[in-house]
Amino acid sequence: MKTLMIIINWINAAVLAGTPLLLATNGEILTEKSGNLNLGVEGQMYMGAVTGLAAAWLTERWFGVGGIIPLIAAVVFAFLMGCISGLIYSVLTVTLRANQNVTGLTLAIFGTGFGQFFGEVLSNEAGGYVTVGAETKHVFGNINFGSLTEIPVIGTLFFRYNWLVYFAIIVAVILGWFLNKTRKGLSLRAVGESPATADSAGINVTRYKYIATTIGGGLCGLAGMYMSMVNQKGIWVTNCVSGYGWLAIALVIFSTWSPLRAIYSSIIFGGLSVMYMRVPIPGMPMAIYMMFPYIATILVLILTSIRQIKEHAQPASTGLNYYREER
Amino acid sequence: MLDTKPITVDNVVEMHHICKSFGTVQALSDVHFELRRGEILSLLGENGSGKTTLMNILSGIYFPDAGEIYVNGNLVTIRQPKDAFDLKIGMVHQHFKLVDVFSAAENIVLGLPGGRTINRRALTRHVREIADQYGFEIDPDKKVYDMSVSEKQTVEIIKALYRGADILVLDEPTAVLTPQETDKLFDIMRAMKKDNKSIILITHKLNEVLAVSDRVTVLRKGEYIDTVLTKDATIQSLTDMMVGRSVSLEIDCPVPQNVEPILKVQSLTVLNQDGGKALDDVTFGVNGGEILGIAGISGSGQRELCEAIAGLYPVTGGSILYKNVVDGHEVDENVVGLNPNDIVKKGIALAFVPEDRLGMGLVPSLNMVDNIMLKHYRKKKGFLVDRRTSREIAERLVDELQIVTPDVFTPIRKLSGGNVQKVLVGREIDTHPRLLMVAYPVRGLDINSSYTIYNLLNEQKEKGVAVIFIGEDLDVLMEISDRLLVLSGGRVTGIVDPRCTSKQDIGLLMLGQSIDNEKGADAV
Ligand SMILES: Nc1ncnc2c1ncn2[C@@H]1O[C@H](COP(=O)(O)OP(=O)(O)OP(=O)(O)O)[C@@H](O)[C@H]1O
Ligand SMILES: [Mg+2]
């Protein structure tokens, strides 16, 4: 019974820890489906984290309201900031044809600096450290499902989460439907697989790359906001993203570019990343625990390359910029 | 400009004064082009003469530097592929433009307007309708990566027709097809012509030009030469027009001198990926100073055979004995199981041009010098690479094979398809091998370059090199080989003297049947 409780609580914690990963992973999947390999997720998440917190905090301060309005401000501005970062990446790689790896790494470094710098500015402004009010914290907390929460096992497994958990899953389902079932989704996948083919079929490659990368960035921004508003409960912590952006990039591979598989993959990753708290093994150093998600990624890479399913591979043109008259 | 007015409305396409350059390369200068309604027009020219470029301009991939295009008598501007198929122009590219992980049907509807989601049932039905109308065979749900080249080509053509194309450009559609597949394609083209569609066919095979087209337009080095009626043309006259001078179309086959055995293949058996036998008990010998041709329907084990000899394919049974001199003694060395690098060092070279023609042992983003160096750097000791020798070789190859390139430092992906191939074959010959294997070396090569390659092979033969020539064109094989080995389904069905065997008999052997004077009774 006790082990069952440990496992159930672990799953609950895994879902909570997996949610920002799921959002960022979906963002990166969308981006990579357009053939852009954006390594800047970590930076984009920092930008979203600080912007979301600042928006909530400033809304509280300027308008004197707490709760739902600061929440909306945090979501909207974090998303927009993520979009801007995606847009910057697109301008550099699609229009100016800069190298994707270099641009992505630069974005990661830039975004991290951006977040930490404005986080400090915000802290100074607030006179020491920023924190949002109790009401705002509350709307980012678990949803009140009433007696549903109390059902044994089921309550903990399904009804003890904040709204972003459900939102992230819905986003994943919609993205999966969009990519696999719709005409535009087909076009987007064609752009990522073979831009020359898409182009000669009359698809506007540039537009698809821009839109996918920008919205993908927006999702990463939301993932960052989750780190500052939910994980840190509305308080600025300098290292709040702590490598989750890199984990998300690994998770894209782990879920073999499928938004739906990303749902359970992110829960597994979330579980691995909180394992040290839930299933402590005496004498095992923390650093070993931190390696687990990456070891899992390597295993999946090995397995998928053994099985050789073409549909489960990275979009063929990822990392390459497209120019029609080049050959 | 009076002369730029379209002359008759019967011309569905007219292109006037088209110019296009890429950096310093003038790919097209002042080119004129006309296509009539309901005709099949062949576009001819040597490798790098600008055929693909001209058609890419018509289909919106490239934008011309100068010139006008009229479609159905109207002056048009084609900025992007979409503009082209709005004008009902469809193109099947030299290198297919298909998404590998999509099914045939998905590739066909790609980019077309319509409802938010795709009605797969209606789509499949529509694809089947088109297929039935012209006699295509297609499985709409098959994934492209599972398809053979000819199936991929079918998808490309249907893709164009599905978009309502009335003008269809086929860029070297037959370069990789078997003769049977080519015949089928021609039947389809004739059916489309009857349907009043206009077709532009690019090909290097002049007998095909004579067989299906109505008129022929010739380009030479980016310039328009002339357009003639096919019925007034011969292979010789077309070749002369293309090359700009009279060339001889005889392949000479000098009598072999100093023939000595170099390689003995005994009971060679290899498995394919599914565990079936790709080569089954293959036995033959190869002699220095002679060309051994290998004929067979494509996929009969040719690829596996040369890769096995080169050490690139695992051997299940049998031996490959190579005559080598070790410590002054002649020995028969078994090369099975040696690594490819050691085999190359012993003097066995392989130049293989695969069906897709890309990825054939050259690095597209490197220039000629570096690509040659990939083979040569091992010959020199020392820490630094020696670029000078490679450069000299590169320049010599450009000269000897008339490779069209701005200089030897241009990335080879920028060269036209045929010129890339000359680099490949030239590089292998230049390693001075004792056994040279060439597979499909003239795929996609213009007639003049093909003859250059044939001559090179003959030169090697006269030097005492053993040459294995794997080809598709039976006429060429019969002319150039001293002995001809026929493969069918991985088995040797005959080794014949092409000078005293009829084409029909060889055709039968290719189909797996024995001929009377060979094995007689055990015909299947
Ligand atoms: N995108 C490009 N960039 C640079 N050079 C190019 C490009 N496209 C074509 N060229 C050059 O233009 C010339 C004409 O090439 P094109 O591909 O049209 O020849 P082709 O007649 O189709 O030859 P082939 O029979 O070998 O296919 C060549 O010299 C080629 O190197
Ligand atoms: Mg061409």
Side-chain angles (χ1 to χ4, degrees):
Chain A
M1 201 58 214
K2 190 157 168 274
T3 33
L4 183 70
M5 281 319 289
I6 290 181
I7 289 175
I8 291 189
N9 285 329
W10 185 22
I11 293 177
N12 178 278
V15 172
L16 286 169
T19 297
L21 289 174
L22 180 56
L23 283 168
T25 302
N26 273 313
E28 181 66 9
I29 288 177
L30 184 58
T31 306
E32 288 194 22
K33 283 289 178 185
S34 76
N36 278 345
L37 176 66
N38 183 1
L39 295 177
V41 180
E42 179 86 359
Q44 297 183 296
M45 284 179 70
Y46 266 109
M47 292 165 81
V50 78
T51 313
L53 179 60
W57 186 69
L58 290 173
T59 314
E60 281 183 346
R61 205 157 97 152
W62 290 340
F63 303 105
V65 287
I68 198 85
I69 296 182
L71 177 137
I72 293 173
V75 169
V76 168
F77 283 97
F79 183 75
L80 284 181
M81 184 45 90
C83 287
I84 290 172
S85 68
L87 201 59
I88 294 172
Y89 179 90
S90 305
V91 173
L92 288 171
T93 61
V94 180
T95 305
L96 302 176
R97 288 188 226 119
N99 180 299
Q100 295 192 7
N101 296 334
V102 176
T103 309
L105 290 174
T106 312
L107 183 59
I109 298 166
F110 167 79
T112 306
F114 179 98
Q116 296 182 343
F117 174 75
F118 283 104
E120 287 313 308
V121 170
L122 217 55
S123 304
N124 286 342
E125 191 79 1
Y129 80 113
V130 223
T131 172
V132 293
E135 235 180 310
T136 310
K137 270 181 197 159
H138 181 73
V139 292
F140 276 104
N142 288 357
I143 302 176
N144 185 1
F145 282 107
S147 56
L148 284 180
T149 324
E150 301 310 321
I151 308 172
V153 183
I154 305 229
T156 316
L157 279 185
F158 294 106
F159 299 112
R160 285 198 189 161
Y161 302 117
N162 60 72
W163 69 275
L164 279 155
V165 171
Y166 306 101
F167 173 78
I169 292 174
I170 294 170
V171 167
V173 172
I174 292 177
L175 188 59
W177 171 80
F178 169 77
L179 288 174
N180 293 317
K181 294 282 188 285
T182 67
R183 211 173 271 269
K184 291 214 161 68
L186 187 73
S187 301
L188 176 63
R189 273 159 53 214
V191 169
E193 290 291 339
S194 167
T197 303
D199 191 15
S200 67
I203 295 167
N204 189 332
V205 174
T206 307
R207 187 191 309 152
Y208 271 89
K209 280 188 173 251
Y210 260 90
I211 293 180
T213 307
T214 302
I215 295 179
L219 290 176
C220 295
L222 284 184
M225 184 209 72
Y226 189 98
M227 302 307 284
S228 62
M229 298 309 290
V230 180
N231 275 11
Q232 309 297 350
K233 306 214 160 37
I235 298 170
W236 180 254
V237 177
T238 310
N239 285 322
C240 62
V241 177
S242 65
Y244 267 46
W246 300 110
L247 268 183
I249 293 172
L251 198 48
V252 172
I253 302 168
F254 191 89
S255 48
T256 56
W257 291 268
S258 154
L260 297 177
R261 280 192 290 275
I263 297 175
Y264 66 74
S265 316
S266 64
I267 295 174
I268 295 175
F269 264 46
L272 291 173
S273 65
V274 296
M275 197 169 160
Y276 67 98
M277 290 191 290
R278 300 288 155 171
V279 224
I281 299 168
M284 178 102 99
M286 178 81 170
I288 302 276
Y289 278 104
M290 288 301 164
M291 278 165 57
F292 286 160
Y294 295 100
I295 293 174
T297 305
I298 292 171
L299 288 179
V300 166
L301 267 179
I302 293 172
L303 283 180
T304 46
S305 52
I306 289 174
R307 283 171 64 209
Q308 289 268 355
I309 303 175
K310 293 243 172 39
E311 286 82 354
H312 289 184
Q314 187 178 46
S317 84
T318 312
L320 307 171
N321 295 334
Y322 176 63
Y323 172 54
R324 188 185 288 156
E325 297 211 357
E326 181 75 65
R327 73 165 177 191
Chain B
M1 288 218 272
L2 251 168
D3 60 338
T4 62
K5 272 269 178 292
I7 305 111
T8 62
V9 277
D10 242 82
N11 283 341
V12 281
V13 175
E14 283 190 20
M15 298 170 87
H16 296 277
H17 307 298
I18 301 288
C19 298
K20 177 76 187 172
S21 58
F22 298 99
T24 54
V25 181
Q26 185 76 32
L28 294 174
S29 49
D30 202 20
V31 169
H32 178 86
F33 180 82
E34 271 172 32
L35 176 69
R36 295 190 187 146
R37 190 179 311 282
E39 78 166 347
I40 298 176
L41 176 91
S42 289
L43 185 56
L44 270 188
E46 293 183 279
N47 295 121
S49 58
K51 305 177 297 292
T52 301
T53 306
L54 185 67
M55 290 303 112
N56 275 339
I57 288 174
L58 186 61
S59 64
I61 306 280
Y62 297 158
F63 194 73
D65 300 338
E68 305 90 58
I69 304 174
Y70 294 87
V71 175
N72 294 318
N74 304 318
L75 182 63
V76 295
T77 311
I78 304 175
R79 292 196 177 280
Q80 50 189 9
K82 194 173 174 313
D83 298 346
F85 57 74
D86 286 345
L87 292 166
K88 299 189 177 297
I89 299 169
M91 176 158 174
V92 176
H93 295 268
Q94 196 164 358
H95 304 302
F96 296 143
K97 293 197 193 290
L98 294 172
V99 179
D100 265 357
V101 296
F102 286 6
S103 67
E106 284 173 329
N107 268 292
I108 289 168
V109 285
L110 191 63
L112 291 180
R116 180 173 299 141
T117 53
I118 296 160
N119 181 345
R120 280 169 204 271
R121 189 134 4 104
L123 170 64
T124 305
R125 190 161 8 93
H126 194 165
V127 170
R128 285 247 156 78
E129 270 168 28
I130 295 180
D132 291 344
Q133 185 186 348
Y134 296 106
F136 293 105
E137 281 159 34
I138 186 174
D139 171 6
D141 298 319
K142 195 166 181 182
K143 290 281 165 77
V144 170
Y145 58 71
D146 280 333
M147 292 183 183
S148 67
V149 258
S150 95
E151 284 174 300
K152 287 183 193 172
Q153 188 167 67
T154 306
V155 177
E156 283 275 35
I157 298 175
I158 294 184
K159 187 167 133 191
L161 293 175
Y162 191 89
R163 276 147 221 261
D166 281 338
I167 299 158
L168 190 64
V169 184
L170 301 171
D171 194 353
E172 294 194 38
T174 60
V176 294
L177 296 186
T178 61
Q180 292 81 351
E181 289 167 334
T182 303
D183 286 341
K184 226 194 281 171
L185 176 69
F186 287 172
D187 287 339
I188 288 166
M189 285 167 56
R190 291 191 189 103
M192 293 196 284
K193 178 176 144 182
K194 254 196 214 114
D195 210 20
N196 231 355
K197 297 193 185 300
S198 314
I199 301 172
I200 302 166
L201 171 73
I202 301 181
T203 177
H204 289 297
K205 301 182 185 168
L206 296 176
N207 48 356
E208 296 178 356
V209 172
L210 298 181
V212 343
S213 66
D214 300 304
R215 293 191 308 150
V216 187
T217 293
V218 179
L219 297 182
R220 189 196 311 147
K221 299 198 168 75
E223 282 172 35
Y224 172 81
I225 301 302
D226 199 4
T227 300
V228 294
L229 292 178
T230 308
K231 61 176 167 50
D232 302 335
T234 61
I235 291 190
Q236 187 70 53
S237 72
L238 291 175
T239 311
D240 295 352
M241 258 211 285
M242 258 161 56
V243 181
R245 65 193 147 78
S246 192
V247 284
S248 150
L249 292 180
E250 298 283 305
I251 306 177
D252 40 306
C253 182
V255 179
Q257 312 248 312
N258 311 328
V259 176
E260 45 151 6
I262 281 200
L263 190 81
K264 258 191 293 186
V265 174
Q266 280 171 344
S267 310
L268 185 68
T269 301
V270 310
L271 301 182
N272 58 24
Q273 278 150 347
D274 313 322
K277 284 182 180 165
L279 288 178
D280 187 3
D281 200 13
V282 168
T283 301
F284 64 94
V286 194
N287 302 325
E290 146 188 302
I291 295 184
L292 174 73
I294 296 186
I297 296 166
S298 76
S300 302
Q302 297 95 323
R303 178 177 199 145
E304 288 81 0
L305 180 60
C306 47
E307 289 193 352
I309 296 175
L312 300 168
Y313 203 96
V315 172
T316 320
S319 52
I320 301 170
L321 301 175
Y322 179 62
K323 190 140 271 147
N324 206 356
V325 179
V326 180
D327 304 330
H329 300 289
E330 276 215 341
V331 288
D332 274 335
E333 242 182 310
N334 193 351
V335 297
V336 169
L338 293 186
N339 86 29
N341 198 9
D342 291 338
I343 295 181
V344 171
K345 274 198 201 133
K346 291 185 191 302
I348 298 180
L350 168 65
F352 186 92
V353 179
E355 287 183 331
D356 59 7
R357 292 171 61 189
L358 297 167
M360 51 189 183
L362 294 172
V363 184
S365 55
L366 292 185
N367 60 37
M368 261 185 86
V369 175
D370 289 350
N371 266 299
I372 287 171
M373 206 159 61
L374 285 178
K375 271 269 150 113
H376 274 261
Y377 78 99
R378 284 211 178 83
K379 290 209 169 143
K380 289 267 161 79
K381 292 271 175 313
F383 183 64
L384 300 175
V385 294
D386 163 29
R387 208 173 242 107
R388 178 148 10 105
T389 325
S390 301
R391 180 180 174 168
E392 280 162 15
I393 296 171
E395 278 161 357
R396 201 175 66 235
L397 290 182
V398 168
D399 253 22
E400 281 176 7
L401 305 184
Q402 292 144 30
I403 297 172
V404 182
T405 175
D407 54 45
V408 293
F409 296 107
T410 307
I412 57 162
R413 86 182 120 82
K414 297 211 170 164
L415 308 192
S416 80
N419 283 304
V420 174
Q421 243 155 292
K422 292 191 203 169
V423 176
L424 176 74
V425 178
R427 184 184 72 179
E428 295 310 319
I429 290 178
D430 208 82
T431 57
H432 306 298
R434 285 180 67 213
L435 171 67
L436 174 66
M437 292 183 279
V438 285
Y440 314 112
V442 298
R443 248 181 193 160
L445 283 195
D446 64 50
I447 189 155
N448 201 27
S449 316
S450 303
Y451 279 76
T452 314
I453 301 264
Y454 301 146
N455 289 339
L456 276 171
L457 294 179
N458 271 328
E459 243 170 58
Q460 295 296 307
K461 160 181 157 181
E462 282 173 340
K463 277 192 201 151
V465 174
V467 179
I468 298 182
F469 180 101
I470 299 178
E472 289 164 309
D473 188 334
L474 200 49
D475 293 315
V476 169
L477 272 170
M478 291 177 68
E479 274 188 75
I480 199 170
S481 325
D482 300 302
R483 288 185 304 143
L484 188 61
L485 182 151
V486 187
L487 278 177
S488 167
R491 301 185 68 103
V492 179
T493 48
I495 300 177
V496 298
D497 181 345
R499 268 157 289 229
C500 47
T501 314
S502 72
K503 201 174 165 187
Q504 279 71 21
D505 282 347
I506 294 176
L508 287 177
L509 287 174
M510 285 168 63
L511 292 171
Q513 292 164 357
S514 315
I515 46 177
D516 296 339
N517 55 10
E518 276 278 315
K519 285 178 199 153
D522 59 15
V524 230

